[in-house]
């Protein structure tokens, strides 16, 4: 399976269907991460739509770049790896990231993500919403 193509289907042709709305992903711009070089986000659904309950984001990490170690004090976070490869450090344990992997970070747990040679493409979810 061509996983990079799968990520492109999400980022360019995907959509979020809600009872009262449909959000097409191609209408959402990529945002440069304010802290981590080589990381971009597409904010699929934010606290504004969910009353702060949750938020969903597509994450694109350039080859050999990383989201450095950090903690979300209030949010549970999940990652679904769509394509690429890398390493995630979850509370000190190194996890191999490849397409099909899901990882969970309870609130208050330090974690970081390092992309491999071909970059890393994630679907990240936060409860309550990150933004």
């Amino acid at each position: 399976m061509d996983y990079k193509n799968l990520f492109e289907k999400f980022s360019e042709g995907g959509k979020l269907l809600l009872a009262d709305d449909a959000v097409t992903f191609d209408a959402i711009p990529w945002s440069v991460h304010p802290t981590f070089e080589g990381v971009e986000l597409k904010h699929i659904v934010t606290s504004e739509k969910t009353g702060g309950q949750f938020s969903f984001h597509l994450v694109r990490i350039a080859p050999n770049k990383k989201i450095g170690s950090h903690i979300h004090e209030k949010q549970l976070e999940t990652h679904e790896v769509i394509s690429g490869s890398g390493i995630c450090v979850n509370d000190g344990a190194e996890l191999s990231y490849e397409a099909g992997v899901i990882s969970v970070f309870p609130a208050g747990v330090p974690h970081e993500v390092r992309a491999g040679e071909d970059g890393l493409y994630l679907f990240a979810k936060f409860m309550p919403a990150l933004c």
Side-chain angles (χ1 to χ4, degrees):
M1 176 176 253
D2 182 359
Y3 290 105
K4 182 151 181 158
N5 189 23
L6 179 61
F7 184 79
E8 289 170 2
K9 285 185 180 190
F10 272 104
S11 73
E12 302 306 325
K15 58 186 155 191
L16 173 68
L17 301 178
L18 303 169
D20 62 346
D21 198 8
V23 179
T24 57
F25 298 172
D26 62 350
I28 301 168
W30 284 101
S31 301
V32 173
H33 195 286
T35 306
F36 303 114
E37 179 186 344
V39 178
E40 295 178 292
L41 307 158
K42 230 181 224 222
H43 303 294
I44 302 303
V45 65
T46 62
S47 62
E48 181 182 333
K49 275 274 190 212
T50 68
Q53 292 180 36
F54 60 90
S55 62
F56 293 174
H57 314 267
L58 287 176
V59 181
R60 181 166 61 187
I61 307 172
N64 302 310
K65 296 295 183 181
K66 70 178 182 177
I67 297 173
S69 185
H70 64 286
I71 295 172
H72 299 285
E73 293 293 342
K74 298 178 182 175
Q75 291 90 3
L76 174 130
E77 179 178 0
T78 68
H79 291 166
E80 297 169 26
V81 181
I82 299 170
S83 68
S85 63
I87 299 292
C88 175
V89 179
N90 181 345
D91 202 17
E94 281 200 11
L95 310 173
S96 181
Y97 265 18
E98 59 187 35
V101 168
I102 296 173
S103 191
V104 178
F105 314 94
V109 170
H111 56 283
E112 77 174 61
V113 180
R114 299 186 300 256
E117 298 276 324
D118 51 353
L120 189 57
Y121 305 86
L122 310 170
F123 189 38
K125 299 174 184 174
F126 294 85
M127 290 146 267
L130 182 63
C131 61

